Amino acid sequence: MVPLSATRLPSIDVVLVGFGWTGAIMGQELTDEGLSVLALERGPWRSTPERFPPTFAQDELRFYYRHELFQRPAHETLTIRNKPSETALPMRVLGSFLPGTGVGGAGVHWNGQTWRFLPSDFKARSHNAERYGAAAIPPAMTIQDYPLTYDELEPHYDRFEYLCGIAGKAGNLNGTIQPGGNPFEGPRSREYPTPPMPQGYAPTLFAQGAERLGYKPFPQPSGNMSQAYTNPLGVQLGPCTFCGFCEKFGCGNYSKASPQTTILPVLLRKPNFELRTESEVLTINVDRSAKRATGVTYVDAEGREFEQPAELVVLCAYALHNVRLLLLSGIGAPYDPVSGTGVVGKNYAYQVFSTVDVFFDDKILNPFIGAGAHGMVVDEFNGDNFDHSGLGFIGGGYISVLQTGARPIQTHPTPEGTPNWGSAWKRAVAQNYLRSTFIPTHGAVMSYRSNYLDLDPTYRDVYGRPLLRMTFDFGENEHRMSDFLTDRAAEIATAMGATRITRNYRKGSWDVVPYQTTHNTGGAIIGDNPQDSMLNKYSQSWDVPNLFVMGASAFPQNAGYNPTGTVAALAYYAADAIRTQYLNSPGPLVPA
Amino acid sequence: MPEGPTHSTVPTPGTAVPGRVVAGSEPWQPGAAAPEIASSAGGYVFFKPAEAAFVEAAVARLIPADELGGGAIEADVPLFIDRQLNGDFGNATRWYMQGPWGEPTKTQGYQTRLTPAQFYRAAIQAIDAVSTRMHGQAFAALNGDRQDDFLRVLESGAIALDGVDGQAFFGLLLQNTIEGFFCDPVHGGNKDMIGWKLIGFPGARYEQRFFLKAFNQPFPLPPVGIAGRREWSR
Ligand SMILES: Cc1cc2nc3c(=O)[nH]c(=O)nc-3n(C[C@H](O)[C@H](O)[C@H](O)COP(=O)(O)OP(=O)(O)OC[C@H]3O[C@@H](n4cnc5c(N)ncnc54)[C@H](O)[C@@H]3O)c2cc1C
Ligand code: SF4
């Protein structure tokens, strides 16, 4: 497997592949255990003063429209198609999702919306089958239960929230429902570390409208700080100033939780930690038994290859890149959608998104005063928080007004019927910019037999290696659910006293062009047994026990929430298992 | 794939230099901040005269000057597009531009072999050829109503252009026009913050907490760009 030209480096205990959210968490946890840890990150070093200081971080064209902080398709992209009968073509320009590259990964330019999944989300198959009958799950829907419960993950959710200083209001403290929080959430062992973000006008109107309909709106749990915070590692964050250049931007203000603002100042000072940037891992190497990873091979910016031996390999490269590296390294059986066998690439899922535009004639909302996770949410229609009988779908999503900062290239809404250009367009933009908002619905996507990831037969990256191929479309379940959520959102818009609304239903097949979310899930899922899953509950490879895979690739299907809270909780859960079990007796933590 | 400044390399003892090593603390170097790339002053560098004439005429229809104030011309949108096409965007530096070039479905996005710079060149030539055939004049010489009609047909996809997808070109032109109208002025468009003033966007501010709770009131401060405001440097 190792090319002859690669220089062999001295062995270390742990190699982390990728240095974003999960890489930083694993680095911190495993160095605490005394292990020598090396992180390899394909992109450059990135810090607040150098890459996104407040002197130029607020540049919409540069950072969002010209993609400065994101992965470069010229270097690596993937091919996409809606169904197996089509020919996949490369995503030549980023669109639907924006994977990160460089230190901090997508954790630099995320919004900070920090969620826990519902207890029932961990039992997607058994819970729905029990409540609605086995027939509620169509044969093509390949959803699975998680091999662990919400309760097992709770302490690990808590660790991430306290690392980040998440601003929020608990809705369920040890089983007791709390006013002002999300009454549907699973029990929390303690309150959020910081109080919720103060709310601007549009979220306030949304909450009032939702209350009129009898819902229980609550503040979006936020990785943007509502006040100064010192985390358990001693790292400090400053209060968010509502600059509004947050999602898709780095924070110049040390106010958004990211690897840089929560972990790196401590981790980089540890003598048993080293980071190598501009070091891209090409393969995970295994020995002849194919049951042990021997390390990784990587290439540096000068094109030189190195073999880095390690006792433990942890993939932290983001869901899509994790799957591609497994496939390129020949680890695990590739998923075959015809027979439904194999595990690598199985159960790829995403997020389904729709919006309702809300226009007022008589209210100035100042929508540019925003932050990535500033807003009010209702959760009445998420997961199984409502009775789905007769609705023809399972799952759900949240409905909110998130005032993230109306940067004008992206946000210049006009009511239905306005032309796309000319004086009438200009007048409508001038009239509505300050007086409009929108209500997104953020829905779950189930997994299906024919939605999967594999290697593309035609297209190659800069090193001549096959690109990842994504075969994905929304199912009937997602369309029904999203339409249902859109109608509920429109009712709230009306209850807000809107002058005009536009319902933007999610119609047709998944399209790679408009940005939706960077919530790609599945492909290296956790499960109960090696036939159905790539990983056990500790995110450990069934086949190669000294390989662990972090990230949303572990999700058997996607829930109605943003992923990172659960991604981080699974990372802490895995780190805990490595520290307390694996190191004592290296080997499978769950018998196959 | 490094971009912008990178740090000095610390060799790992006894080996060739394996990537760039960061250890011991967070590296920082004076002057290492990735600089803002301000658009250069002066005339067109990318557009040839006939291309400039088309772009000036077209963007003046897309965002016209009217009773609400200046439009794309007053915002220097043609200059903005010129500089964009002359740089990384125009050359598709970040994009995946390897073949083969398949026939895309409706959902597979940009699959054009041309870079944006090449696309503008080819499309403008094809548009002027059609305009000359239909009206005996290049697009820029038509009166405003005829230009609007032409753009509407282009937008609808009903005009067949020689060798280029007219509807896709219209989409690109409109997107770049909106970018040039609303971007930070350092990029050469949105001159005098004309776009921001039109809608009430206060620009590249970093502290807005003081007005979060001022419901239903107009924001009291004028817009500011990354380079400040013109009057600051007078
Ligand atoms: C615009 C945007 C907004 C978002 N908002 C939210 C939100 O509000 N809430 C939420 O929950 N989630 C959000 N997310 C998602 C969130 O950013 C991710 O879930 C999270 O960063 C995933 O962590 P990770 O460690 O798996 O990957 P990342 O943080 O992306 O880190 C992966 C790292 O691995 C590196 N890498 C990849 N391949 C290799 C290789 N071969 N060799 C070496 N290094 C490699 C990458 O360069 C990258 O730095 C958002 C994402 C984006 C882009
Ligand atoms: S909105 Fe707040 S957290 Fe987000 S970038 Fe601005 S200051 Fe940072």
Side-chain angles (χ1 to χ4, degrees), chain A residues 241-257:
Chain A
T241 56
F242 289 77
C243 80
F245 290 82
C246 200
E247 55 172 344
K248 305 163 182 132
F249 298 80
C251 176
N253 222 26
Y254 299 84
S255 302
K256 173 161 72 174

Side-chain angles (χ1 to χ4, degrees), chain A residues 136-381:
Chain A
I137 303 168
M141 196 187 273
T142 49
I143 58 176
Q144 291 181 195
D145 286 2
Y146 278 69
L148 77 177
T149 62
Y150 170 84
D151 290 340
E152 283 172 90
L153 221 45
E154 200 285 331
H156 307 282
Y157 275 125
D158 180 87
R159 281 205 67 192
F160 184 61
E161 289 159 1
Y162 272 73
L163 177 88
C164 294
I166 300 303
K169 176 78 195 83
N172 181 339
L173 274 182
N174 298 306
T176 309
I177 301 301
Q178 307 292 313
N182 179 4
F184 299 99
E185 69 180 2
R188 304 175 165 269
S189 49
R190 51 177 171 164
E191 197 30 286
Y192 281 97
T194 57
M197 296 279 274
Q199 298 297 328
Y201 196 19
T204 302
L205 290 169
F206 172 83
Q208 289 166 355
E211 273 168 3
R212 270 177 215 129
L213 297 179
Y215 305 144
K216 299 215 160 40
F218 60 93
Q220 164 70 52
S222 168
N224 324 127
M225 297 300 100
S226 60
Q227 61 182 42
Y229 180 68
T230 304
N231 79 8
L233 303 179
V235 185
Q236 297 174 323
L237 294 97
C240 164
T241 56
F242 289 77
C243 80
F245 290 82
C246 200
E247 55 172 344
K248 305 163 182 132
F249 298 80
C251 176
N253 222 26
Y254 299 84
S255 302
K256 173 161 72 174
S258 68
Q260 276 81 348
T261 57
T262 61
I263 296 175
L264 301 200
V266 172
L267 178 55
L268 287 172
R269 283 176 173 77
K270 291 185 173 181
N272 52 340
F273 180 77
E274 183 177 306
L275 163 66
R276 292 182 202 144
T277 59
E278 292 153 55
S279 298
E280 178 160 5
V281 171
L282 300 175
T283 48
I284 308 144
N285 304 318
V286 288
D287 71 6
R288 253 195 261 137
S289 74
K291 297 223 170 306
R292 210 189 111 72
T294 56
V296 300
T297 299
Y298 73 94
V299 59
D300 74 2
E302 281 80 44
R304 292 168 307 180
E305 288 187 20
F306 297 90
E307 187 203 342
Q308 176 62 64
E311 294 299 316
L312 199 60
V313 176
V314 187
L315 275 186
C316 303
Y318 187 68
L320 297 173
H321 311 308
N322 290 342
V323 175
R324 179 165 181 249
L325 280 170
L326 290 170
L327 291 166
L328 288 172
S329 309
I331 297 175
Y335 173 69
D336 172 7
V338 178
S339 64
T341 57
V343 289
V344 188
K346 173 179 163 163
N347 281 18
Y348 172 72
Y350 193 43
Q351 210 86 66
V352 60
F353 205 79
S354 72
T355 57
V356 172
D357 295 333
V358 187
F359 300 93
F360 295 95
D361 278 346
D362 58 343
K363 292 186 173 62
I364 297 175
L365 304 177
N366 292 323
F368 47 83
I369 305 177
H374 156 239
M376 294 294 286
V377 187
V378 298
D379 219 18
E380 266 75 3
F381 302 103

Side-chain angles (χ1 to χ4, degrees), chain A residues 7 9-10 42-45 47 49-51 54-62 65-75 77 80-82 86-93 101 198-201 204 239-245 250-253 260 264-265 268-269 273-280 298 300-302 304 306 362-364 366 368-370 374 406-409 412 420-423 425-427 429-430 433-434 458-462 467 509-513, chain B residues 1-7 9 12-13 15-30 32-37 58 61-72 80 84 88-89 92-112 147-149 151-152 155 170 174-176 178-184 186-187 195-196 198-219 226-227:
Chain A
T7 308
L9 299 168
R42 65 179 179 178
W45 168 251
S47 67
E50 293 181 352
R51 290 304 173 113
T55 44
F56 61 73
Q58 321 90 312
D59 188 336
E60 185 183 16
L61 185 82
R62 175 181 183 176
Y65 283 92
R66 299 296 177 260
H67 299 167
E68 180 161 316
L69 295 171
F70 313 142
Q71 173 173 313
R72 295 165 67 102
H75 185 85
T77 185
I80 41 114
R81 59 179 179 179
N82 289 130
E86 294 172 357
T87 304
L89 295 178
M91 176 172 78
R92 298 186 176 278
V93 187
T101 195
Q199 298 297 328
Y201 196 19
T204 302
C240 164
T241 56
F242 289 77
C243 80
F245 290 82
C251 176
N253 222 26
Q260 276 81 348
L264 301 200
L268 287 172
R269 283 176 173 77
F273 180 77
E274 183 177 306
L275 163 66
R276 292 182 202 144
T277 59
E278 292 153 55
S279 298
E280 178 160 5
Y298 73 94
D300 74 2
E302 281 80 44
R304 292 168 307 180
F306 297 90
D362 58 343
K363 292 186 173 62
I364 297 175
N366 292 323
F368 47 83
I369 305 177
H374 156 239
R407 300 163 302 276
I409 301 176
H412 46 264
N420 293 329
W421 48 275
S423 262
W425 172 83
K426 192 178 163 195
R427 205 174 315 116
V429 170
Y433 173 74
L434 295 178
T458 308
Y459 292 95
R460 312 263 147 176
D461 69 5
V462 280
L467 296 182
S509 288
W510 171 66
D511 185 334
V512 74
V513 174
Chain B
M1 50 184 315
E3 271 181 276
T6 47
H7 289 276
T9 304
T12 297
T15 64
V17 184
R20 292 176 195 276
V21 176
V22 179
S25 69
E26 294 167 280
W28 182 84
Q29 286 179 355
E36 184 59 51
I37 305 125
R61 303 314 298 176
L62 295 178
I63 309 183
D66 54 19
E67 74 282 0
L68 292 177
F80 163 82
Q84 288 293 311
D88 284 349
F89 172 75
T93 310
R94 299 185 73 93
W95 298 2
Y96 185 85
M97 295 300 275
Q98 294 179 45
W101 298 86
E103 196 48 53
T105 64
K106 281 192 159 40
T107 60
Q108 284 174 313
Y110 196 90
Q111 297 292 340
T112 306
Q147 288 178 339
D148 283 354
D149 289 342
L151 291 171
R152 265 191 289 272
E155 182 180 26
F170 180 88
L174 180 59
Q175 172 61 24
N176 293 155
I178 291 172
E179 287 170 357
F181 196 61
F182 287 132
C183 67
D184 193 285
V186 289
H187 297 290
W196 292 354
L198 174 75
I199 59 174
F201 178 65
R205 298 199 165 270
Y206 228 82
E207 170 60 280
Q208 305 193 113
R209 271 178 298 184
F210 73 100
F211 217 65
L212 179 70
K213 291 291 185 185
F215 291 177
N216 215 5
Q217 293 175 42
F219 195 74
I226 284 165

